[in-house]
Amino acid sequence: MRIKNILPPFSLGLSPMEGVTTPCFRQICKRYGADVLFTEFISSEALVRDVESSHKKMNFKEEERPLVVQIFGNSEESLCNAAHIAEEIGCDWVDINWGCPVRKVAGKGCGSGILNDIDKMEYLTKKVVESVSVPVSVKTRLGYSDDNKPIVEIAERMQDVGVELISIHGRTRSQMYKGEADWSLIGEVKNNQRMRIPVFGNGDITSAEKMLEYKNRYGVDGILIGRAAMGNPFIFKQCKDILEGKNDSKFSVKERICVCKEHLEGLKQWRGDRYAILEMRKFYSGYFRGLDNFKPYRIRLVTTNDYQEIEEILSLVGKEFNYEF
Ligand SMILES: Cc1cc2nc3c(=O)[nH]c(=O)nc-3n(C[C@H](O)[C@H](O)[C@H](O)COP(=O)(O)O)c2cc1C
């Protein structure tokens, strides 16, 4: 049970997100209180084929630990080899993505596509566990379709083959992102007397208050926050504060701008101007949520292709909205 020893009794994690949980954003989330960070999912086939952009996704700094590399795939050879590559770069553990619902992934039997074949899921997971000396976790969903949600059985079988932590997104594959995440089955997994490994809950945690409510109601060992952290790494500090009985965290426009600029610069250093300009577009509304009359600036930020101009617009925002909210 090595993962259990690395983690605090209750963990807040930055959920793995493609195009979001890049090294610089993970580092920012860590600073604001995330206890555990996941890379974006990385194709095991691409890692094995030595695709540079896939290897880059594993770049990390010591301060990010515990750092988890998430891989996806559906062949024994590529999953085991990819897990081995992740182990060699020194990650704290490897996570297998058995939850991605998008067609190009699940349609090939990767991600949540495996939920149609739990025997294969068990077999491949066991092989990955056996092929590395670092711990292995899995992130998955309740089941494949709404009339079949075998997550309680899946969790037991994952534990039995040596998985040391399971993260559960409270939706099925068919649901994609529709409807509300159903945490009652996550609670059932956690309360199953047979379960000894940590159980993380995930899905629709949008505020520190909701995090606290769900932690108390379902008794999970950790909660992963995804979309609500996009452009809002501050949510981890708010969560930490509420867990300590404080509830007064405020983040000035100045702080938001500084972090946003750091994020932009981090993406630029990592993958160049063009990547930074395009990828940052999905974060601005998060960084400046609640700011009246931000829209004209947002439109400029998401339409310009000029890095310098983005910096200028952010400075203008700072001048115009010099107040706390
Ligand atoms: C843009 C985006 C990319 C995602 N990429 C991944 C991924 O690479 N691996 C993964 O396990 N889940 C991925 N997810 C799912 C999230 O980790 C999380 O399970 C889901 O968004 C539900 O949590 P939330 O309601 O807190 O966002 C992604 C979600 C989004 C919105």
Side-chain angles (χ1 to χ4, degrees), residues 257-298:
I257 290 168
C258 281
V259 175
C260 182
K261 280 186 167 172
E262 177 188 348
H263 191 171
L264 175 72
E265 175 66 22
L267 289 182
K268 177 183 158 177
Q269 297 292 333
W270 189 54
R271 297 277 294 269
D273 283 27
R274 181 90 191 126
Y275 180 88
I277 291 165
L278 296 178
E279 290 298 312
M280 272 307 282
R281 290 180 177 173
K282 53 186 172 239
F283 295 101
Y284 296 120
S285 39
Y287 277 117
F288 301 108
R289 188 168 300 136
L291 210 58
D292 289 340
N293 303 323
F294 177 69
K295 197 171 168 198
Y297 294 99
R298 197 188 74 81

Side-chain angles (χ1 to χ4, degrees), residues 15-18 41 70 97 139 169 177 202-204 226-227:
S15 209
M17 284 181 285
E18 187 190 18
F41 71 173
Q70 190 190 63
N97 178 315
K139 179 167 175 284
H169 176 185
Y177 284 89
N202 169 241
D204 296 350
R227 290 164 293 177

Side-chain angles (χ1 to χ4, degrees), residues 104-124:
K104 70 174 193 250
V105 175
K108 292 183 188 144
C110 308
S112 64
I114 202 82
L115 294 171
N116 258 334
D117 187 349
I118 311 294
D119 289 342
K120 186 171 181 192
M121 178 185 192
E122 182 181 28
Y123 175 81
L124 290 175

Side-chain angles (χ1 to χ4, degrees), residues 162-179:
V163 161
E164 293 196 25
L165 172 130
I166 183 164
S167 305
I168 305 165
H169 176 185
R171 288 188 172 86
T172 59
R173 194 259 146 150
S174 332
Q175 243 182 306
M176 306 292 284
Y177 284 89
K178 291 193 292 281

Side-chain angles (χ1 to χ4, degrees), residues 1-11 93 136-138 155 159 163-168 189-190 195-201 219-222:
M1 272 319 170
R2 293 156 299 169
I3 291 185
K4 220 175 190 167
N5 298 332
I6 300 175
L7 292 172
F10 175 76
S11 305
W93 73 82
V136 174
S137 62
V138 299
Q159 174 176 272
V163 161
E164 293 196 25
L165 172 130
I166 183 164
S167 305
I168 305 165
V189 172
K190 176 60 206 167
M195 293 302 289
R196 300 176 312 277
I197 59 172
V199 176
F200 281 5
V220 285
D221 303 287

Side-chain angles (χ1 to χ4, degrees), residues 236-253:
F236 292 106
K237 172 83 170 78
Q238 290 166 333
C239 287
K240 277 280 148 91
D241 281 353
I242 213 168
L243 286 168
E244 289 169 11
K246 296 184 272 179
N247 196 4
D248 56 358
S249 7
K250 288 214 164 47
F251 304 96
S252 64
V253 177

